[in-house]
Amino acid sequence: MIRTALFPGSFDPFTAGHLNILKRALTMFDEIVVAVGINIDKKGFLSTEKRIEIIEQATASIPGVKVISYTNLTVDTCRELGIRHIVRGVRNMIDFETERSIADANRRLAPEIETIIIPTAQEFAHISSTAVRDILKHRGDTSQFLPEGIDL
């Protein structure tokens, strides 16, 4: 039986911290489906297609990774794909409280789906997609914040 988890997020952009969480999740699961959430009410910094391209490029040499996009509730995507675990990363206690609230709501909506919260490794805890977007807007060097080989 293949154990699969969904790793949802906006990934705008996908950072070295996201990659760290993904690799660590693969020590617990055989397959991780990275799910790029599309919020039709928000315009992203990068297009959905570009986000997927970046994630596929960053994970090309890692077995067990699939990348999709989705527009519905995360738990509904899990149900559609037959996935019973959601993986989320946290950088600090503020992230943890937010993710715990989301996990509690998801548990009420779908009690059969469990959320696994993975703390980001210390060397990546300072990286956020928001900070990377700000650096990109000001034409700064993002190489230390993005997966190796990714250049925006």
Side-chain angles (χ1 to χ4, degrees):
M1 177 174 147
I2 295 176
R3 293 183 51 94
T4 304
L6 191 81
F7 183 22
S10 60
F11 305 112
D12 192 20
F14 188 76
T15 69
H18 292 129
L19 184 60
N20 174 259
I21 295 296
L22 174 64
K23 287 179 176 179
R24 292 170 54 217
L26 281 166
T27 68
M28 295 178 265
F29 297 95
D30 304 306
E31 180 178 86
I32 302 292
V33 177
V34 181
V36 179
I38 301 169
N39 183 337
I40 57 172
D41 296 326
K42 292 171 78 175
K43 181 181 179 340
F45 183 75
L46 299 173
S47 70
T48 302
E49 295 76 19
K50 184 66 175 174
R51 292 181 222 178
I52 290 171
E53 178 187 318
I54 290 167
I55 298 166
E56 288 175 341
Q57 183 181 354
T59 62
S61 64
I62 304 171
V65 178
K66 293 182 180 178
V67 186
I68 65 167
S69 63
Y70 74 108
T71 57
N72 56 347
L73 291 174
T74 300
V75 292
D76 289 340
T77 298
C78 286
R79 285 177 171 151
E80 288 171 11
L81 299 173
I83 293 175
R84 298 184 48 133
H85 295 90
I86 297 170
V87 168
R88 297 293 295 168
V90 295
R91 293 172 293 136
N92 53 44
M93 288 307 294
I94 295 167
D95 284 356
F96 177 79
E97 290 299 329
T98 300
E99 292 300 336
R100 186 177 68 161
S101 294
I102 294 169
D104 289 344
N106 284 339
R107 191 175 306 105
R108 287 184 175 270
L109 293 170
E112 75 279 12
I113 298 170
E114 192 60 59
T115 299
I116 310 297
I117 297 175
I118 302 174
T120 302
Q122 188 61 37
E123 63 266 29
F124 302 107
H126 66 285
I127 301 172
S128 72
S129 292
T130 302
V132 173
R133 285 192 304 270
D134 195 45
I135 294 166
L136 286 168
K137 286 177 191 175
H138 294 90
R139 298 193 173 117
D141 179 10
T142 58
S143 61
Q144 63 182 312
F145 306 108
L146 299 174
E148 191 173 318
I150 302 299
D151 185 30
L152 297 178

